Amino acid sequence: MSLIACRAALMGASLVALAACATTAASVEPAAAQTEPAQAPVRESTAFTLGTDQPRAPEQLAVTFDKADLSIRVLPDEKAIDAVALLDFTATAPVDRLVVELDTLLTVSEVAVDGVPVPADRWSNPEGRMTVELAEPLAIGETAQLRIAYAGQPRVAPNAPWDGGFVWSTAPSGEPWIATAVQPEGCDIFWPCIDHPLAEPGRVDLHITVPSNLSAPSNGEFLGAVDHGDGWTTWNWSAAHPNTYAIALNIGPYAEIADTYESRFGNRYPIQYWHLKSDDPAKARALFDEIAPMLDFYEATVGPYPFGDEKMGVVETPHLGMEHQTINAYGNGYKLDGRGFDWLLHHELSHEWFGNQLTNRNADDMWLHEGLGSYMQPLYDRWLNGERFMEASLLDQRRGLINKFPVVSGEEKSEDEVYQGDTGPGLDIYNKGSQIAHSLRMLIGDEAFFRSVTRLVYGTATPRPGEFRPRYGTTDEFLAIVNEESGRDLTWFFQGYLYQAALPDLRQTRTNGELALEWVTGDGGVFPMPVEVEVDGERHVVPMTGGRGRIAAPASAHVLIDPDNKVLRRLEFIEAWKAAGGGD
């Protein structure tokens, strides 16, 4: 599949970690980039490090991760970092060791607990899971600060953002242009963390030291820069409750466009775009001017921007993009596609709600990020340009469905198992997730659907700025919310769409002046999805009680099933088109 085909299939979905597109995307760079050939490290990260959201060690389950304070000097000439991490933990159960993850490509020079050095024989880091023995066990409620000094050449991303790590590039003006993109591999690629979505630290403070001719925009609130007078400057940032993989380094010869956004909820917050100084100023300004309308759409559709006490930030990167909390990576090269907005900017922004504010408890529920986030693009098409543009987006998504694995398996999964199309749903978490969301909205109506989404994202139907914090959610929770908001049991809907690889098939039989309809699902379950039928231009709703229904249809009548395409279902002509190579 070509990258263009990937984009058409996704219609605005992020391409992060999608192996189906990765092989064709390797040579694609933003127009401004002059990327140096990646140099393979002497050693590769371990298989453990390259995985993410793997089961936590018992010691990790026995603590809360209160704060990470990261001081990272980035050395462009050496393609290396020199760093110190201070990690604060509180025991929730008795624990005698602290356990974090850190890539073995990075050499640890010192380990200390509460300021006391830990002898080398009392800590180890096999395969990238570091264990530090405590001099005295922690009782419940006791705290400890783990200090780790480390340095080295971190993993070079073979094909960011799908196969991640550091991107060491060169801007058109000749300066270093550096970024991290580690969603598929996790935070341990360049800082010690608990590499699991349920182990977000309460706060991360970042002190990023770079050559003074470069800027280092990052996550959260800007606390100022300190020029040390020796050719180096430290940029200081602080972010509350960040996704661990969303912590990002972005370093380059940037110029900043900034403004203050006046929210429909009454609060005000900074919006910032950091772009290369060599960019066409008109293009950079045009992209920046898209941010405020997008924010208004998301706030009207879902709820308040989740991180208004920090900022809404975007930074240009030498890779395509990624949803880094409050500093989304943008590398689409200002490409126009006739939709009236930049699809990548819009999709990555969606993850501030679906991914950063709402985080799935396990990768098996990743469609809550990618599917609901992808549905926001057709909705935005309508918001800007009307029904025709929304339907065009939905049709492009519909043509991209794979239907090889269920969107949700009902079992614990790793991120790779979900994103890789040969082991899990892959692209279907985007496109099929969006199509399912649309069918759900058509079934229960706008009020119930959008209240359900808002409750899932914030834990309340009436979120107000400053009155909520990031939360975790599951498919089962979303079903329970939808049932409450719609006043009906829609287990059959979730079971028929999310937990089956095959789409529901609407079988049709027309005899003796009557049209008989029957739903057949992947597991043979009852699927009472009502269907609109147009007979000679007159519309009727067939209830489909028990999954079956009938309607009068004279032999001479023209019959059109589901004239507004409200219901996601098997369509044989699309299957035939795909079997003949359609979409390749």
Side-chain angles (χ1 to χ4, degrees), residues 83-85 107-113 115-118 123 130 146-151:
V84 174
T107 300
V108 175
S109 60
E110 182 184 0
V111 177
V113 174
V116 178
V118 177
W123 67 266
M130 176 180 282
L146 175 62
R147 182 182 189 273
I148 301 173
Y150 61 99

Side-chain angles (χ1 to χ4, degrees), residues 58-256:
E59 294 87 353
Q60 294 174 327
L61 294 170
V63 298
T64 59
F65 191 178
D66 302 320
K67 182 182 177 182
D69 185 288
L70 308 176
S71 298
I72 303 175
R73 181 183 293 264
V74 180
L75 308 166
D77 292 343
E78 291 83 7
K79 293 184 172 58
I81 60 174
D82 189 356
V84 174
L86 301 176
L87 312 176
D88 294 340
F89 300 98
T90 299
T92 58
V95 63
D96 59 2
R97 300 186 299 178
L98 296 177
V99 177
V100 296
E101 277 80 55
L102 181 64
D103 197 339
T104 57
L105 293 181
L106 301 168
T107 300
V108 175
S109 60
E110 182 184 0
V111 177
V113 174
D114 294 331
V116 178
V118 177
D121 62 353
R122 295 184 64 83
W123 67 266
S124 62
N125 191 29
E127 301 299 312
R129 173 162 275 178
M130 176 180 282
T131 299
V132 179
E133 297 179 24
L134 297 172
E136 297 290 339
L138 294 180
I140 296 174
E142 291 185 333
T143 63
Q145 183 179 80
L146 175 62
R147 182 182 189 273
I148 301 173
Y150 61 99
Q153 293 183 318
R155 183 180 198 251
V156 174
N159 185 24
W162 302 272
D163 193 355
F166 268 68
V167 180
W168 304 93
S169 183
T170 303
S173 50
E175 299 93 339
W177 189 17
I178 303 162
T180 58
V182 298
Q183 180 183 4
E185 298 78 20
C187 46
D188 49 341
I189 288 292
F190 71 98
W191 64 279
C193 60
I194 300 177
D195 185 18
H196 192 280
L198 298 183
E200 294 179 0
R203 179 168 294 278
V204 174
D205 288 343
L206 289 151
H207 316 285
I208 307 164
T209 301
V210 299
S212 294
N213 64 329
L214 304 177
S215 301
S218 193
N219 308 87
E221 181 182 5
F222 183 47
L223 302 181
V226 178
D227 189 333
H228 301 291
D230 58 358
W232 295 89
T233 295
T234 299
W235 293 67
N236 300 290
W237 302 86
S238 184
H241 308 291
N243 269 341
T244 51
Y245 75 79
I247 296 299
L249 305 182
N250 307 280
I251 298 156
Y254 289 121
E256 180 191 4

Side-chain angles (χ1 to χ4, degrees), residues 30-32 257 273-276 279-288 316 330-337 342:
I257 305 176
Y273 175 41
W274 299 79
H275 65 89
L276 292 178
D279 285 356
D280 181 338
K283 290 182 178 180
R285 184 73 210 192
L287 186 78
F288 179 81
E316 189 174 6
Y330 172 82
N332 199 31
Y334 307 109
K335 295 179 179 68
L336 302 178
D337 61 7
D342 191 293

Side-chain angles (χ1 to χ4, degrees), residues 335-368:
K335 295 179 179 68
L336 302 178
D337 61 7
R339 299 175 72 181
F341 67 97
D342 191 293
W343 70 267
L344 180 71
L345 179 68
H346 192 273
H347 181 76
E348 302 304 356
L349 179 56
S350 78
H351 286 306
E352 298 286 29
W353 285 264
F354 306 103
N356 296 333
Q357 167 59 28
L358 166 73
T359 302
N360 54 237
R361 285 189 176 272
N362 179 260
D364 194 44
D365 296 305
M366 189 65 74
W367 82 280
L368 297 175

Side-chain angles (χ1 to χ4, degrees), residues 470-487:
R471 66 183 308 273
Y472 297 99
T474 66
T475 301
D476 285 343
E477 182 193 14
F478 190 38
L479 170 59
I481 293 171
V482 167
N483 286 346
E484 288 182 15
E485 292 295 341
S486 67

Side-chain angles (χ1 to χ4, degrees), residues 222-566:
F222 183 47
L223 302 181
V226 178
D227 189 333
H228 301 291
D230 58 358
W232 295 89
T233 295
T234 299
W235 293 67
N236 300 290
W237 302 86
S238 184
H241 308 291
N243 269 341
T244 51
Y245 75 79
I247 296 299
L249 305 182
N250 307 280
I251 298 156
Y254 289 121
E256 180 191 4
I257 305 176
D259 201 352
T260 299
Y261 182 72
E262 304 280 349
S263 167
R264 62 172 53 223
F265 288 91
N267 60 323
R268 306 166 77 244
Y269 49 87
I271 53 175
Q272 301 170 347
Y273 175 41
W274 299 79
H275 65 89
L276 292 178
K277 293 178 180 179
S278 56
D279 285 356
D280 181 338
K283 290 182 178 180
R285 184 73 210 192
L287 186 78
F288 179 81
D289 288 344
E290 291 187 26
I291 295 174
M294 289 181 183
L295 285 169
D296 189 46
F297 161 78
Y298 278 112
E299 293 202 328
T301 303
V302 185
Y305 175 67
F307 308 105
D309 55 346
E310 296 178 352
K311 70 175 183 302
M312 188 274 141
V314 179
V315 61
E316 189 174 6
T317 56
H319 62 85
L320 185 60
M322 189 174 285
E323 62 272 20
H324 295 144
Q325 189 168 311
T326 73
I327 191 68
N328 286 321
Y330 172 82
N332 199 31
Y334 307 109
K335 295 179 179 68
L336 302 178
D337 61 7
R339 299 175 72 181
F341 67 97
D342 191 293
W343 70 267
L344 180 71
L345 179 68
H346 192 273
H347 181 76
E348 302 304 356
L349 179 56
S350 78
H351 286 306
E352 298 286 29
W353 285 264
F354 306 103
N356 296 333
Q357 167 59 28
L358 166 73
T359 302
N360 54 237
R361 285 189 176 272
N362 179 260
D364 194 44
D365 296 305
M366 189 65 74
W367 82 280
L368 297 175
H369 295 191
E370 303 294 7
L372 293 177
S374 294
Y375 187 43
M376 295 299 114
Q377 277 75 71
L379 291 176
Y380 193 56
D381 279 303
R382 185 188 184 283
W383 177 275
L384 287 182
N385 298 307
E387 293 286 341
R388 177 177 294 181
F389 284 82
M390 180 183 75
E391 293 297 339
S393 293
L394 288 169
L395 178 57
D396 280 332
Q397 288 181 341
R398 174 64 182 83
R399 287 172 170 158
L401 303 196
I402 302 168
N403 304 316
K404 185 178 179 181
F405 293 93
V407 174
V408 181
S409 72
E411 301 176 355
E412 295 280 303
K413 295 287 185 181
S414 70
E415 191 167 296
D416 276 349
E417 288 175 315
V418 172
Y419 272 109
Q420 301 293 338
D422 57 347
T423 60
L427 290 171
D428 275 354
I429 64 175
Y430 296 81
N431 295 320
K432 195 171 183 179
S434 174
Q435 298 284 298
I436 292 168
H438 183 67
S439 289
L440 179 61
R441 176 181 157 230
M442 294 297 98
L443 177 64
I444 67 177
D446 281 5
E447 181 178 1
F449 175 79
F450 288 115
R451 280 178 60 88
S452 296
V453 170
T454 298
R455 286 181 58 185
L456 177 70
V457 169
Y458 300 97
T460 175
T462 56
R464 301 293 305 174
E467 297 179 1
F468 56 84
R469 57 182 289 177
R471 66 183 308 273
Y472 297 99
T474 66
T475 301
D476 285 343
E477 182 193 14
F478 190 38
L479 170 59
I481 293 171
V482 167
N483 286 346
E484 288 182 15
E485 292 295 341
S486 67
R488 61 180 105 170
D489 184 357
L490 292 175
T491 302
W492 60 268
F493 180 98
F494 279 60
Q495 185 65 29
Y497 277 130
L498 290 165
Y499 293 89
Q500 315 297 320
L503 290 173
D505 187 7
L506 185 61
R507 306 283 175 84
Q508 308 170 34
T509 305
R510 191 169 173 181
T511 58
N512 300 322
E514 191 174 57
L515 173 66
L517 301 171
E518 179 183 7
W519 282 112
V520 177
T521 62
D523 64 352
V526 175
F527 193 74
M529 172 69 83
V531 180
E532 285 189 1
V533 178
E534 186 178 281
V535 180
D536 278 341
E538 183 176 347
R539 293 198 182 188
H540 309 268
V541 177
V542 181
M544 301 298 290
T545 303
R548 294 181 174 86
R550 294 178 177 274
I551 187 173
S556 61
H558 173 68
V559 173
L560 179 60
I561 305 294
D562 190 24
D564 292 330
N565 297 286
K566 295 180 179 179

